[in-house]
Amino acid sequence: MTFNSASKKAAVAGAALVAAFGMAGAAQAQSQGLYIGASVGGSHYKGSPVGNANTDRSDTGAKLYGGYQLTPNIGVEAGYADLGKFDSSAGQLKANGAYLDAVGKVPLAGPWSAIGRVGVFNGKTEGLGGNGHDVNAKVGAGIEYAIDTNLAVRGEWERYRLDPGTGKANTDLYTVGVKYAF
């Protein structure tokens, strides 16, 4: 059996791809277990204006979390997110709460992985003469870069659903942070 030049190149490229995904899988397998992390970034409120007045819809948000990587591709994560405060001439609206997510992780190449998440957010809003409390769905996506088997950097987008008393609203949180696996 003879191989032409294109077949040889395809075989080499295929072997390199399999090796890259194999190494990424091996690195992820070593990171199974407990982890903690923190992220900070921008928060953007998307809903009715606060108090029907012009609203500054952006602020700084942050989250602290801990989780358990069950398999190289599936984990469970719980945390606290401070979505910031949004000002208007009618007052201020603050949003924060706890969350519980199922986190999926897919190796890309080398130390890179894609992250997807779905879960629930037990949110609390304060301001405008009252407080709100509700439980809603939460989703997110991102990318993770493994510096070594214990330390990684994450960039993520997450959508938190709120009910601040002015109707349902979404707050998007864009963060960069670190994750440490034990």
Side-chain angles (χ1 to χ4, degrees), residues 8-122:
K8 289 177 186 176
K9 288 179 185 176
V12 170
L17 187 60
V18 168
F21 279 105
M23 286 187 291
Q28 283 188 347
Q30 293 174 355
S31 67
Q32 286 179 258
L34 290 173
Y35 64 86
I36 58 170
S39 299
V40 66
S43 181
H44 187 76
Y45 174 82
K46 294 179 178 182
S48 300
V50 177
N52 293 321
N54 287 334
T55 304
D56 176 7
R57 296 173 180 265
S58 297
D59 197 19
T60 301
K63 67 178 189 168
L64 295 172
Y65 58 89
Y68 191 84
Q69 195 69 34
L70 301 167
T71 72
N73 300 102
I74 299 171
V76 177
E77 187 175 294
Y80 173 81
D82 182 350
L83 302 177
K85 58 185 176 182
F86 309 99
D87 296 311
S88 79
S89 57
Q92 194 176 78
L93 177 68
K94 293 191 265 183
N96 56 52
Y99 68 87
L100 178 64
D101 288 351
V103 180
K105 191 165 143 181
V106 177
L108 297 174
W112 295 95
S113 296
I115 300 169
R117 62 175 61 240
V118 63
V120 293
F121 177 61
N122 186 2

